[in-house]
Amino acid sequence: MTTPVNAPNGTPFSTKSKVVAGILQILVGGVGAGRWYTGHYGMAIAQLLTCGGLGVWALIDGILFLVKDDRTDSEGLVLKS
């Protein structure tokens, strides 16, 4: 089975993976690793300064990366599965 060329919203998929972003966020979310990976630098700095919201924000964010299909990178492209 091949991966579709375009996301459901019609734009091409990002070169970034939602699985990689989710795992990074769960494992090292205290420094905003998943957000650094996707290019959301403002959010990454906020997570770095709050230690990932004392871990809670980072964990929830990582889970959302893994289960939602509409997460985007900094260019607005949907992350590939």
Side-chain angles (χ1 to χ4, degrees):
M1 180 181 248
T2 60
T3 304
V5 176
N6 290 331
N9 64 2
T11 63
F13 278 106
S14 171
T15 58
K16 308 289 184 179
S17 167
K18 73 177 196 164
V19 174
V20 172
I23 291 172
L24 281 171
Q25 194 62 24
I26 289 171
L27 296 179
V28 280
V31 295
R35 293 300 186 155
W36 291 109
Y37 173 72
T38 60
H40 295 109
Y41 302 121
M43 190 76 71
I45 290 171
Q47 288 185 344
L48 178 64
L49 294 175
T50 64
C51 295
L54 299 177
V56 176
W57 180 10
L59 178 64
I60 292 170
D61 206 22
I63 292 169
L64 289 175
F65 269 121
L66 293 172
V67 299
K68 293 195 71 163
D69 291 328
D70 61 352
R71 289 299 193 123
T72 62
D73 64 9
S74 61
E75 297 175 5
L77 301 175
V78 176
L79 298 174
K80 65 183 175 182
S81 296

